[in-house]
Amino acid sequence: MLGKVLIVGVGLIGGSFALALKKAGQVGEVVGIGRHPEAMARALALGIVDRVSDDYADALRGADLVLLAAPVAQAGAILEALLPHLERQTVVTDAGSTKCDVVAAARAVLGDRVRQFVPGHPIAGSESNGPDAALPGLYQGKKCVLAPLPENAAEDVERVASAWRACGAAIHTLTPEDHDRVFAAVSHLPHLLAYALVDDIAARPHADLLFQYAASGFRDFTRIAGSSPEMWRDISLANRAALLTELDAYLAQLTSMRAMLAAADGVGLQGIYATAQRARREWQEAIEAGSLDRRSPNQENT
């Protein structure tokens, strides 16, 4: 049971965390703080937070846990604002989609008090954002990756893990470096591709005609291009080294497929399509069977 939780950025991710903890009866008070007063007022009106504050000293007083749920580029500035008022019992975590940059910011700002910062990343989301997008069940059955630091006390890591379990998530652990390499391939690159395709279509002279006939395939492929541009700008830049590696590999695949198409190499194209179909089917079947939901090679016991 957490007595007081402070959420910095009460949108989809932070708001859903608050609602899930409240639904589970695992928090006494939720305080929200954020850049946009209208969004904070909306979070209060929706009952996501119990009160809002624009004063970190007040908001942090007596807090057991702080969740940073703002774009990753803001992590350093937020931690600087937190540090003068950070009490010894308070554990800070984050929900950012990149970890190496956030860890570097935490070390630079917090110094030896970085031991109070436990990096995290819930693997759940939506193309919608803001307080109205928050859902109490967003994390149910989803993964939450923690990337504990050598300085973290085991009980502080467990406090963060327990909070995410109360939200319905299964805890996995990765190093910050492994986290960023993995998510460059399976999350950050797909977002970049979706944005690129929609931007390309929208810039064409006959864009209205193209969008008129875009159907379910286009909708499914580009759904994530409805996500926050600010957030994904920050993620792309923060993880640019790993993302460039994945983008180069994808460009090589496209170049190969273009050559097959130019040569009318149906056998080659079908081979790629068949391999992709089989891999995706096996992945989907594993998800439906639950074998990908609860275990990973370096997951803690739950």
Side-chain angles (χ1 to χ4, degrees):
M1 179 71 181
L2 296 164
K4 179 179 177 180
V5 171
L6 169 62
I7 297 179
V8 184
V10 191
L12 169 69
I13 298 301
S16 295
F17 182 74
L19 289 176
L21 287 178
K22 284 171 169 278
K23 183 177 180 180
Q26 291 299 305
V27 63
E29 181 187 26
V30 178
V31 179
I33 196 167
R35 294 180 296 168
H36 304 296
E38 63 278 9
M40 300 310 301
R42 184 62 177 158
L44 183 62
L46 291 170
I48 297 172
V49 297
D50 299 307
R51 64 184 181 93
V52 299
S53 178
D54 58 4
D55 177 8
Y56 276 100
D58 166 69
L60 275 167
R61 192 172 296 114
D64 296 305
L65 183 68
V66 178
L67 174 68
L68 309 188
V72 291
Q74 298 176 27
I78 293 171
L79 290 170
E80 286 180 356
L82 290 173
L83 181 59
H85 316 290
L86 186 60
E87 298 175 357
R88 295 292 176 180
Q89 84 285 351
T90 305
V91 177
V92 182
T93 188
D94 78 306
S97 295
T98 55
K99 293 275 73 78
C100 289
D101 61 312
V102 174
V103 169
R107 290 193 182 283
V109 172
L110 299 179
D112 63 355
R113 299 193 69 182
V114 75
R115 65 184 180 276
Q116 292 176 249
F117 180 73
V118 180
H121 176 204
I123 313 307
S126 164
E127 67 275 17
S128 302
N129 44 65
D132 286 279
L135 298 168
L138 183 66
Y139 305 113
Q140 194 65 44
K142 304 296 176 59
K143 300 179 182 68
C144 180
V145 175
L146 299 186
L149 306 177
E151 296 92 338
N152 292 148
E155 57 267 28
D156 290 344
V157 177
E158 178 57 26
R159 184 182 302 181
V160 176
S162 293
W164 284 114
R165 286 195 208 102
C167 295
I171 304 301
H172 290 234
T173 58
L174 291 171
T175 66
E177 295 77 14
D178 284 345
H179 172 281
D180 287 0
R181 282 191 290 267
V182 166
F183 286 94
V186 300
S187 176
H188 306 165
L189 178 63
H191 278 80
L192 184 149
L193 299 178
Y195 282 119
L197 177 59
V198 177
D199 181 70
D200 176 58
I201 296 293
R204 297 187 189 186
H206 56 308
D208 290 347
L209 180 64
L210 295 174
F211 282 123
Q212 179 182 347
Y213 290 100
S216 58
F218 183 86
R219 180 197 64 214
D220 293 345
F221 183 79
T222 63
R223 176 186 60 80
I224 52 179
S227 302
S228 166
E230 179 188 13
M231 179 178 75
W232 282 100
R233 174 203 66 195
D234 290 352
I235 291 168
S236 299
L237 293 175
N239 203 23
R240 63 185 179 274
L243 184 54
L244 284 169
T245 297
E246 294 301 327
L247 186 57
D248 287 344
Y250 193 77
L251 286 170
Q253 174 78 325
L254 289 180
T255 299
S256 175
M257 294 180 72
R258 188 191 188 284
M260 292 177 187
L261 187 61
D265 182 3
V267 173
L269 286 171
Q270 183 174 343
I272 290 175
Y273 294 167
T275 298
Q277 180 195 50
R278 181 171 59 254
R280 193 187 189 287
R281 181 183 296 130
E282 291 173 354
W283 169 69
Q284 186 65 39
E285 289 173 350
I287 290 175
E288 292 171 356
S291 59
L292 291 183
D293 291 339
R294 293 288 171 182
R295 300 297 300 173
S296 71
N298 53 354
Q299 181 188 356
E300 66 166 71
N301 292 325
T302 59

